[in-house]
Amino acid sequence: MYRGKVIIIGAGSVGTAIAYSMVNQCVCQDIVIIDINKDKAYAESLDMMHSIEFMSTKTSVKEGDYSDCSDADIIVISAASPMPKDSNDRMKFLNMNISIVKDVVVNVMQNNFKGIFLVVTNPVDIMTYYVWKYSGLPSNRVIGSGTTLDTARLHYYIAKTIDVDPRSINAYIIGEHGDTEMVAWSTATIGGKDIKSVFADNKDRIGEDPYNNFLKQTSYGGWDIFSKKGNTSFGIAASVTGILKSILFDENRIYPISVYLNGEYNINDVYVSVPTIINSNGAKEIVELHLTDSEYEEFKKSCNKLKSKYKEFNN
């Protein structure tokens, strides 16, 4: 059974890690890597093909160009300007990356692309908004990786503290993938038990102020990795692969991805991360969490911050 064609635009650390994660998990039939540095895209593709003998996969990986987009199912955009190692603000790359993303989308759409865009380039919420604007595609077919990885990090830190499998934790980071992201604590559970009760019953292990501590660990985790190795790649690659699997296998999985709000949560015209059902149509349905009043106000502030950035560009 044919399992689809995915194009990755950007052969940097993130793009190549996504491709390799897909090969490892046998997610699709064909992977095409496009990069302005054609030699790099070729070498990364060939290196992966040399590994196929040792994997349970039939995936083909090759270097390509924008003409390959015409029959692609999904295009992953990871192309971006290099990020200085001492930086800790994704917004600093807004001006540099928006021109890169615009050029990518124009080239893709000139080749009659009709599939789904999955945006990874930071700041991902704003980049996803402009991919939607530049492409002219329906909003359900333009999504961003959003806070999927942030949510996995949150699960990791909670699970490590109370000694459970992170897959037993049901809690979401929502809002901006950035400084104003938040945890929807009122909806969080572990093994069906509400998070407030779990924390109250495990004070000896969790300590004081677990809500802020876990959010700080989550927010800092990515920058801690970045400051020491110069990039984050494996975590984002795995989370993007999870999203791709839900699309290609029509899984109806729920992930907190960056999607367009058009009245959901009583908010309009912004791409922001909320739990979303994902299938072969892209964003099938947005899950509207019942937030507390204070959580909702925090979420609105995050949305307003993102919307304020739209004014900086003529579109």
Side-chain angles (χ1 to χ4, degrees), residues 24-267:
N24 265 303
Q25 297 188 49
C26 200
V27 170
C28 68
Q29 195 78 26
D30 296 299
I31 299 172
V32 180
I33 300 176
I34 300 174
D35 195 277
I36 192 170
N37 184 340
K38 293 183 179 294
D39 286 344
K40 177 74 158 54
Y42 167 78
E44 296 286 8
S45 303
L46 187 59
D47 197 11
M48 287 183 219
M49 287 305 296
H50 289 168
S51 72
I52 294 294
E53 179 179 345
F54 307 101
M55 299 182 187
S56 300
T57 182
K58 292 287 187 179
T59 304
S60 168
V61 189
K62 71 170 188 174
E63 178 266 332
D65 56 39
Y66 285 107
S67 65
D68 289 290
C69 298
S70 61
D71 62 345
D73 296 287
I74 305 170
I75 290 179
V76 178
I77 301 179
S78 64
S81 296
M83 197 168 184
K85 196 173 180 180
D86 60 350
S87 176
N88 62 357
D89 184 0
R90 297 176 183 89
M91 285 296 175
K92 289 181 180 178
F93 298 88
L94 182 54
N95 290 293
M96 292 180 284
N97 286 344
I98 197 121
S99 60
I100 293 173
V101 166
K102 183 176 183 179
D103 184 65
V104 166
V105 175
V106 168
N107 279 287
V108 168
M109 297 311 295
Q110 284 177 346
N111 284 276
N112 202 31
F113 175 65
K114 293 182 174 64
I116 294 169
F117 276 110
L118 174 52
V119 184
V120 183
T121 303
N122 278 316
V124 67
D125 305 291
I126 297 174
M127 292 298 108
T128 308
Y129 178 85
Y130 280 100
V131 169
W132 171 61
K133 283 283 189 178
Y134 297 143
S135 70
L137 292 174
S139 60
N140 66 293
R141 286 165 51 196
V142 181
I143 61 177
S145 55
T147 55
T148 302
L149 176 56
D150 308 71
T151 294
R153 287 173 176 151
L154 174 68
H155 294 174
Y156 166 79
Y157 289 115
I158 295 174
K160 183 180 178 182
T161 302
I162 64 174
D163 195 23
V164 299
D165 190 296
R167 289 166 293 191
S168 296
I169 298 170
N170 187 9
Y172 292 107
I173 296 275
I174 62 173
E176 173 200 11
H177 172 56
D179 294 340
T180 63
E181 68 185 20
M182 57 172 285
V183 184
W185 289 116
S186 66
T187 68
T189 62
I190 301 178
K193 187 174 181 178
D194 69 274
I195 202 85
K196 184 178 180 180
S197 297
V198 173
F199 287 174
D201 293 343
N202 293 273
K203 287 183 179 179
D204 56 328
R205 288 189 283 181
I206 292 173
E208 298 297 324
D209 199 14
Y211 302 101
N212 283 328
N213 287 339
F214 282 129
L215 179 57
K216 286 179 182 178
Q217 284 181 298
T218 300
S219 300
Y220 178 70
W223 296 119
D224 187 30
I225 297 167
F226 182 82
S227 67
K228 291 176 173 61
K229 63 174 274 192
N231 64 73
T232 61
S233 54
F234 301 131
I236 186 61
S239 61
V240 168
T241 301
I243 296 168
L244 290 168
K245 284 171 66 179
S246 193
I247 296 170
L248 291 166
F249 298 167
D250 201 30
E251 289 183 335
N252 286 316
R253 286 286 298 270
I254 297 175
Y255 289 112
I257 59 170
S258 190
V259 288
Y260 185 69
L261 297 188
N262 186 30
E264 297 86 359
Y265 293 89
N266 291 317
I267 292 172

